[in-house]
Coordinates of all heavy atoms in Angstrom, one line a residue:
M24 N -3.9 -5.2 31.9 CA -4.1 -6.6 32.3 C -3.0 -7.5 31.6 O -2.9 -7.4 30.4 CB -5.5 -7.0 31.8 CG -5.8 -8.5 32.2 SD -7.3 -9.2 31.5 CE -8.6 -8.1 32.0
P25 N -2.4 -8.4 32.3 CA -1.4 -9.2 31.7 C -2.0 -10.2 30.7 O -3.2 -10.5 30.8 CB -0.8 -10.0 32.9 CG -1.1 -9.3 34.1 CD -2.4 -8.5 33.7
Q26 N -1.3 -10.7 29.7 CA -1.8 -11.6 28.7 C -2.4 -12.8 29.3 O -3.4 -13.3 28.9 CB -0.7 -12.0 27.7 CG -0.8 -11.1 26.5 CD 0.3 -11.6 25.5 OE1 1.3 -12.2 25.9 NE2 0.0 -11.5 24.2
G27 N -1.8 -13.4 30.3 CA -2.2 -14.7 30.9 C -3.5 -14.6 31.7 O -4.2 -15.5 31.9
D28 N -4.0 -13.3 32.0 CA -5.2 -13.1 32.7 C -6.4 -12.9 31.8 O -7.5 -12.7 32.3 CB -5.1 -12.0 33.7 CG -4.1 -12.2 34.8 OD1 -3.8 -13.4 35.1 OD2 -3.6 -11.2 35.4
A29 N -6.2 -13.0 30.5 CA -7.3 -12.7 29.6 C -8.4 -13.8 29.7 O -8.0 -15.0 29.7 CB -6.8 -12.6 28.2
P30 N -9.7 -13.5 29.7 CA -10.7 -14.5 29.8 C -10.7 -15.3 28.5 O -10.2 -14.9 27.5 CB -12.0 -13.7 29.9 CG -11.6 -12.3 30.3 CD -10.2 -12.1 29.9
E31 N -11.2 -16.6 28.6 CA -11.1 -17.5 27.5 C -11.9 -17.0 26.3 O -11.5 -17.1 25.1 CB -11.6 -18.8 27.9 CG -11.4 -19.9 26.9 CD -11.9 -21.3 27.4 OE1 -11.7 -21.6 28.6 OE2 -12.4 -22.1 26.6
A32 N -13.0 -16.3 26.5 CA -13.8 -15.8 25.4 C -13.0 -14.8 24.6 O -13.1 -14.7 23.4 CB -15.1 -15.3 25.9
E33 N -12.3 -13.9 25.3 CA -11.5 -12.9 24.6 C -10.4 -13.5 23.8 O -9.9 -13.0 22.8 CB -11.0 -11.9 25.6 CG -12.1 -11.0 26.1 CD -11.6 -10.0 27.1 OE1 -10.4 -9.8 27.2 OE2 -12.4 -9.4 27.8
A34 N -9.9 -14.6 24.3 CA -8.7 -15.3 23.6 C -9.2 -15.8 22.2 O -8.4 -15.8 21.3 CB -8.2 -16.4 24.5
H35 N -10.5 -16.1 22.1 CA -11.0 -16.6 20.8 C -11.5 -15.4 19.9 O -12.0 -15.7 18.8 CB -12.0 -17.6 21.0 CG -11.5 -18.9 21.6 ND1 -10.7 -19.7 21.0 CD2 -11.7 -19.4 22.9 CE1 -10.4 -20.7 21.8 NE2 -11.0 -20.5 23.0
G36 N -11.5 -14.2 20.4 CA -12.0 -13.1 19.7 C -13.4 -12.7 20.2 O -14.1 -13.5 20.8
P37 N -13.8 -11.4 20.0 CA -15.1 -10.9 20.5 C -16.3 -11.5 19.8 O -17.4 -11.6 20.3 CB -15.0 -9.4 20.2 CG -14.0 -9.3 19.2 CD -13.0 -10.4 19.3
S38 N -16.1 -12.1 18.5 CA -17.2 -12.6 17.8 C -17.4 -14.2 18.0 O -18.2 -14.8 17.3 CB -17.1 -12.3 16.3 OG -16.0 -13.0 15.8
A39 N -16.6 -14.7 18.9 CA -16.7 -16.2 19.2 C -18.1 -16.5 19.8 O -18.6 -15.8 20.6 CB -15.6 -16.6 20.1
P40 N -18.7 -17.6 19.3 CA -20.0 -18.0 19.8 C -19.9 -18.4 21.2 O -19.0 -19.1 21.6 CB -20.5 -19.1 18.9 CG -19.2 -19.7 18.3 CD -18.2 -18.5 18.2
R41 N -20.9 -18.1 22.0 CA -20.9 -18.5 23.4 C -22.1 -19.4 23.6 O -23.2 -19.0 23.8 CB -21.1 -17.2 24.3 CG -19.9 -16.3 24.3 CD -20.1 -15.2 25.3 NE -18.9 -14.4 25.2 CZ -18.6 -13.5 26.2 NH1 -19.4 -13.4 27.2 NH2 -17.5 -12.8 26.1
A42 N -21.8 -20.7 23.7 CA -22.8 -21.7 23.8 C -23.1 -22.1 25.3 O -24.1 -22.7 25.6 CB -22.4 -23.0 23.0
R43 N -22.2 -21.7 26.2 CA -22.4 -22.1 27.6 C -23.7 -21.6 28.2 O -24.3 -22.4 28.9 CB -21.2 -21.7 28.4 CG -20.0 -22.6 28.0 CD -18.9 -22.4 29.0 NE -17.8 -23.4 28.6 CZ -16.9 -23.8 29.4 NH1 -16.9 -23.4 30.7 NH2 -16.0 -24.7 29.0
P44 N -24.1 -20.4 28.1 CA -25.3 -20.0 28.8 C -26.5 -20.8 28.4 O -27.4 -21.0 29.2 CB -25.5 -18.5 28.4 CG -24.1 -18.0 28.1 CD -23.4 -19.2 27.5
A45 N -26.6 -21.2 27.2 CA -27.8 -22.0 26.7 C -27.7 -23.5 27.2 O -28.7 -24.1 27.4 CB -27.9 -22.0 25.2
A46 N -26.5 -24.0 27.5 CA -26.4 -25.4 27.8 C -27.1 -25.7 29.1 O -27.8 -26.7 29.1 CB -24.9 -25.7 28.0
P47 N -27.0 -25.0 30.2 CA -27.8 -25.4 31.4 C -29.3 -25.5 31.2 O -29.9 -26.4 31.7 CB -27.4 -24.3 32.4 CG -26.1 -23.8 32.0 CD -26.2 -23.8 30.5
Q48 N -29.8 -24.6 30.4 CA -31.3 -24.7 30.2 C -31.6 -26.0 29.4 O -32.6 -26.6 29.6 CB -31.8 -23.5 29.4 CG -31.8 -22.2 30.2 CD -32.2 -21.0 29.5 OE1 -32.3 -21.0 28.2 NE2 -32.4 -19.9 30.2
G49 N -30.8 -26.3 28.4 CA -31.0 -27.5 27.6 C -30.8 -28.7 28.5 O -31.6 -29.7 28.4
L50 N -29.8 -28.7 29.3 CA -29.6 -29.9 30.2 C -30.8 -30.0 31.2 O -31.2 -31.1 31.5 CB -28.3 -29.7 31.0 CG -27.0 -29.9 30.1 CD1 -25.8 -29.6 31.0 CD2 -27.0 -31.3 29.6
L51 N -31.2 -28.9 31.7 CA -32.4 -28.9 32.7 C -33.6 -29.4 32.0 O -34.3 -30.3 32.6 CB -32.6 -27.5 33.2 CG -33.8 -27.3 34.2 CD1 -33.5 -28.2 35.4 CD2 -34.0 -25.9 34.6
R52 N -33.9 -29.0 30.8 CA -35.0 -29.5 30.1 C -34.9 -31.0 29.8 O -35.9 -31.8 30.0 CB -35.2 -28.8 28.8 CG -36.4 -29.2 28.0 CD -36.7 -28.3 26.8 NE -37.8 -28.8 26.1 CZ -38.4 -28.3 25.1 NH1 -37.8 -27.2 24.6 NH2 -39.4 -28.8 24.5
Q53 N -33.7 -31.4 29.4 CA -33.5 -32.9 29.2 C -33.7 -33.7 30.4 O -34.3 -34.7 30.4 CB -32.1 -33.1 28.6 CG -31.9 -34.5 28.2 CD -30.5 -34.7 27.6 OE1 -29.7 -33.8 27.6 NE2 -30.2 -35.9 27.0
M54 N -33.2 -33.1 31.5 CA -33.3 -33.8 32.8 C -34.8 -33.9 33.2 O -35.3 -34.9 33.7 CB -32.5 -33.1 33.9 CG -32.5 -33.9 35.2 SD -31.8 -35.5 35.1 CE -30.2 -35.2 35.7
E55 N -35.5 -32.8 33.0 CA -37.0 -32.9 33.4 C -37.7 -33.9 32.5 O -38.6 -34.6 33.0 CB -37.6 -31.5 33.2 CG -37.1 -30.5 34.2 CD -37.6 -29.1 34.0 OE1 -38.0 -28.8 32.8 OE2 -37.5 -28.2 34.9
E56 N -37.4 -34.0 31.2 CA -38.0 -35.0 30.4 C -37.7 -36.4 30.8 O -38.6 -37.3 30.8 CB -37.6 -34.7 28.9 CG -38.2 -33.5 28.3 CD -37.6 -33.1 27.0 OE1 -36.8 -33.9 26.5 OE2 -38.0 -32.1 26.4
L57 N -36.5 -36.6 31.2 CA -36.1 -37.9 31.6 C -36.7 -38.3 32.9 O -37.2 -39.4 33.1 CB -34.5 -38.0 31.8 CG -33.7 -38.0 30.5 CD1 -32.2 -37.9 30.8 CD2 -34.0 -39.3 29.7
M58 N -36.8 -37.3 33.9 CA -37.5 -37.6 35.1 C -39.0 -37.9 34.9 O -39.6 -38.7 35.6 CB -37.3 -36.4 36.1 CG -35.9 -36.2 36.6 SD -35.3 -37.6 37.5 CE -36.3 -37.5 39.0
A59 N -39.6 -37.2 34.0 CA -41.0 -37.4 33.7 C -41.2 -38.8 33.1 O -42.2 -39.5 33.5 CB -41.6 -36.4 32.7
A60 N -40.3 -39.2 32.2 CA -40.4 -40.6 31.6 C -40.2 -41.6 32.7 O -40.9 -42.6 32.8 CB -39.4 -40.7 30.5
L61 N -39.2 -41.4 33.6 CA -38.9 -42.3 34.7 C -40.1 -42.4 35.6 O -40.5 -43.5 36.0 CB -37.7 -41.9 35.5 CG -37.3 -42.8 36.7 CD1 -37.0 -44.2 36.2 CD2 -36.1 -42.1 37.4
D62 N -40.7 -41.3 35.9 CA -41.9 -41.3 36.8 C -43.1 -42.1 36.2 O -43.7 -42.9 36.9 CB -42.4 -39.9 37.1 CG -43.5 -39.8 38.1 OD1 -43.4 -40.5 39.1 OD2 -44.5 -39.1 37.9
A63 N -43.3 -41.9 34.9 CA -44.3 -42.7 34.2 C -44.0 -44.2 34.2 O -44.9 -45.0 34.5 CB -44.5 -42.2 32.8
D64 N -42.8 -44.5 34.0 CA -42.4 -46.0 34.0 C -42.6 -46.6 35.4 O -43.1 -47.7 35.5 CB -40.9 -46.1 33.5 CG -40.7 -45.9 32.1 OD1 -41.7 -45.9 31.3 OD2 -39.6 -45.7 31.6
L65 N -42.2 -45.8 36.4 CA -42.3 -46.4 37.8 C -43.8 -46.5 38.2 O -44.2 -47.4 38.8 CB -41.6 -45.5 38.7 CG -40.1 -45.6 38.6 CD1 -39.4 -44.5 39.6 CD2 -39.6 -47.0 39.0
S66 N -44.6 -45.5 37.7 CA -46.1 -45.6 38.0 C -46.7 -46.8 37.3 O -47.5 -47.5 37.9 CB -46.8 -44.3 37.5 OG -46.3 -43.2 38.3
R67 N -46.3 -47.1 36.1 CA -46.8 -48.2 35.4 C -46.3 -49.5 36.0 O -47.1 -50.5 36.2 CB -46.3 -48.2 33.9 CG -47.0 -49.2 33.0 CD -46.8 -48.9 31.5 NE -45.4 -48.4 31.2 CZ -45.2 -47.2 30.7 NH1 -46.2 -46.4 30.5 NH2 -44.0 -46.8 30.4
L68 N -45.1 -49.6 36.4 CA -44.6 -50.8 37.1 C -45.3 -51.0 38.4 O -45.6 -52.1 38.8 CB -43.1 -50.6 37.4 CG -42.4 -51.7 38.1 CD1 -42.5 -53.0 37.3 CD2 -40.9 -51.4 38.4
D69 N -45.5 -49.9 39.2 CA -46.2 -50.0 40.5 C -47.6 -50.6 40.2 O -48.1 -51.5 41.0 CB -46.3 -48.6 41.1 CG -47.0 -48.7 42.5 OD1 -46.6 -49.6 43.3 OD2 -47.9 -47.9 42.7
A70 N -48.3 -50.1 39.2 CA -49.7 -50.6 38.9 C -49.6 -52.1 38.5 O -50.5 -52.8 38.9 CB -50.3 -49.7 37.8
D71 N -48.6 -52.4 37.7 CA -48.5 -53.8 37.3 C -48.3 -54.7 38.5 O -48.8 -55.8 38.7 CB -47.4 -54.0 36.3 CG -47.7 -53.4 35.0 OD1 -48.8 -53.1 34.7 OD2 -46.7 -53.3 34.2
L72 N -47.4 -54.3 39.4 CA -47.1 -55.1 40.6 C -48.3 -55.2 41.5 O -48.6 -56.3 42.1 CB -45.9 -54.5 41.4 CG -44.6 -54.6 40.7 CD1 -43.5 -53.9 41.5 CD2 -44.2 -56.1 40.6
R73 N -49.1 -54.1 41.7 CA -50.3 -54.2 42.5 C -51.3 -55.1 41.9 O -52.0 -55.9 42.6 CB -50.8 -52.8 42.7 CG -50.0 -51.9 43.6 CD -50.6 -50.5 43.7 NE -49.7 -49.6 44.4 CZ -49.6 -49.4 45.7 NH1 -50.4 -50.1 46.5 NH2 -48.8 -48.6 46.2
T74 N -51.4 -55.1 40.6 CA -52.4 -56.0 40.0 C -51.9 -57.5 40.1 O -52.7 -58.4 40.4 CB -52.5 -55.7 38.4 OG1 -52.9 -54.3 38.3 CG2 -53.4 -56.6 37.7
A75 N -50.6 -57.7 40.0 CA -50.1 -59.1 40.2 C -50.3 -59.6 41.6 O -50.5 -60.8 41.8 CB -48.6 -59.1 39.8
E76 N -50.2 -58.7 42.6 CA -50.4 -59.2 44.0 C -51.9 -59.6 44.2 O -52.1 -60.5 45.0 CB -50.1 -58.0 44.9 CG -48.6 -57.7 45.1 CD -48.3 -56.5 46.0 OE1 -49.3 -55.8 46.4 OE2 -47.1 -56.3 46.3
Q77 N -52.8 -59.0 43.5 CA -54.2 -59.2 43.7 C -54.7 -60.4 42.9 O -55.6 -61.1 43.2 CB -55.0 -58.0 43.3 CG -54.8 -56.8 44.2 CD -55.5 -55.6 43.7 OE1 -56.1 -55.6 42.7 NE2 -55.3 -54.5 44.5
T78 N -53.9 -60.8 41.8 CA -54.3 -61.9 41.0 C -53.6 -63.1 41.4 O -52.4 -63.2 41.4 CB -53.9 -61.6 39.5 OG1 -54.5 -60.4 39.1 CG2 -54.4 -62.7 38.6
P79 N -54.3 -64.2 41.9 CA -53.7 -65.4 42.3 C -53.1 -66.1 41.1 O -53.7 -66.3 40.1 CB -54.8 -66.2 42.9 CG -56.0 -65.7 42.4 CD -55.8 -64.2 42.0
G80 N -51.8 -66.4 41.2 CA -51.1 -67.2 40.1 C -51.0 -68.6 40.5 O -51.4 -69.1 41.6
P81 N -50.3 -69.4 39.7 CA -50.1 -70.8 40.0 C -49.2 -70.9 41.2 O -48.2 -70.1 41.4 CB -49.4 -71.3 38.8 CG -48.8 -70.2 38.1 CD -49.7 -69.0 38.4
S82 N -49.4 -71.8 42.1 CA -48.6 -72.0 43.3 C -47.3 -72.5 42.9 O -47.2 -73.3 42.0 CB -49.3 -72.9 44.3 OG -49.6 -74.1 43.7
P83 N -46.2 -72.1 43.5 CA -44.9 -72.5 43.2 C -44.7 -74.0 43.5 O -45.3 -74.5 44.4 CB -43.9 -71.7 44.0 CG -44.8 -71.2 45.1 CD -46.2 -71.1 44.6
A84 N -43.9 -74.7 42.7 CA -43.6 -76.1 42.9 C -42.8 -76.2 44.2 O -42.0 -75.4 44.5 CB -42.8 -76.6 41.7
P85 N -43.1 -77.3 45.0 CA -42.4 -77.5 46.2 C -40.9 -77.8 45.9 O -40.6 -78.4 44.9 CB -43.1 -78.6 46.9 CG -43.8 -79.3 45.8 CD -44.1 -78.3 44.8
A86 N -40.0 -77.4 46.8 CA -38.6 -77.7 46.6 C -38.4 -79.2 46.8 O -39.3 -80.0 47.4 CB -37.8 -77.0 47.7
E87 N -37.3 -79.7 46.3 CA -37.1 -81.2 46.4 C -37.1 -81.6 47.8 O -36.4 -81.0 48.7 CB -35.7 -81.5 45.7 CG -35.5 -82.9 45.4 CD -34.2 -83.1 44.6 OE1 -34.0 -82.4 43.7 OE2 -33.5 -84.1 45.0
G88 N -37.8 -82.7 48.1 CA -37.9 -83.2 49.5 C -39.0 -82.7 50.3 O -39.3 -83.2 51.4
E89 N -39.7 -81.6 49.9 CA -40.8 -81.0 50.6 C -42.1 -81.7 50.2 O -42.3 -82.0 49.0 CB -41.0 -79.5 50.4 CG -39.9 -78.7 51.0 CD -40.2 -77.2 50.8 OE1 -41.4 -76.8 50.6 OE2 -39.3 -76.4 50.9
P90 N -43.0 -82.0 51.1 CA -44.3 -82.6 50.7 C -45.1 -81.6 49.9 O -45.0 -80.4 50.2 CB -44.9 -83.0 52.0 CG -44.3 -82.1 53.0 CD -42.9 -81.8 52.5
R91 N -46.0 -82.1 49.0 CA -46.9 -81.2 48.3 C -48.0 -80.7 49.2 O -48.5 -81.5 50.0 CB -47.5 -81.9 47.1 CG -46.5 -82.1 46.0 CD -47.2 -82.7 44.7 NE -46.4 -82.6 43.6 CZ -46.4 -81.6 42.7 NH1 -47.2 -80.7 42.8 NH2 -45.6 -81.7 41.7
R92 N -48.4 -79.5 49.0 CA -49.5 -79.0 49.8 C -50.8 -79.0 49.0 O -50.7 -78.8 47.8 CB -49.2 -77.5 50.2 CG -48.1 -77.4 51.2 CD -48.0 -76.0 51.6 NE -46.6 -75.8 52.0 CZ -46.0 -74.6 52.0 NH1 -46.6 -73.5 51.6 NH2 -44.7 -74.5 52.4
P93 N -51.9 -79.3 49.5 CA -53.1 -79.3 48.8 C -53.6 -78.0 48.3 O -53.3 -77.0 48.7 CB -54.2 -79.9 49.7 CG -53.6 -79.9 51.1 CD -52.1 -79.7 50.9

């Protein structure tokens, strides 16, 4: 095998640590945790918005020039 074709791991020696196989699992776990947190936040926001729709709030002030409604 020519020198230029040597895999990168062999270029650093046979005892070089290989962190790449563990990285996808760590990234996947982190992504799952972020998605779970996002889902919880969106569920809470949805509940807040639904509650706000059912609760009558103060009526908005009329724009300038519009008559007031009773």
Side-chain angles (χ1 to χ4, degrees):
M24 180 190 303
Q26 263 185 328
D28 294 339
E31 188 175 325
E33 289 180 12
H35 295 291
S38 63
R41 294 185 178 197
R43 288 192 176 206
Q48 290 178 351
L50 290 174
L51 179 60
R52 183 175 179 174
Q53 185 179 9
M54 185 62 101
E55 287 174 345
E56 290 172 0
L57 289 171
M58 291 299 292
L61 177 62
D62 186 45
D64 288 346
L65 290 175
S66 294
R67 190 169 36 247
L68 178 62
D69 182 50
D71 290 347
L72 290 173
R73 289 178 190 270
T74 301
E76 287 177 353
Q77 295 171 359
T78 306
S82 56
E87 194 172 316
E89 287 186 24
R91 287 190 169 262
R92 293 185 206 156

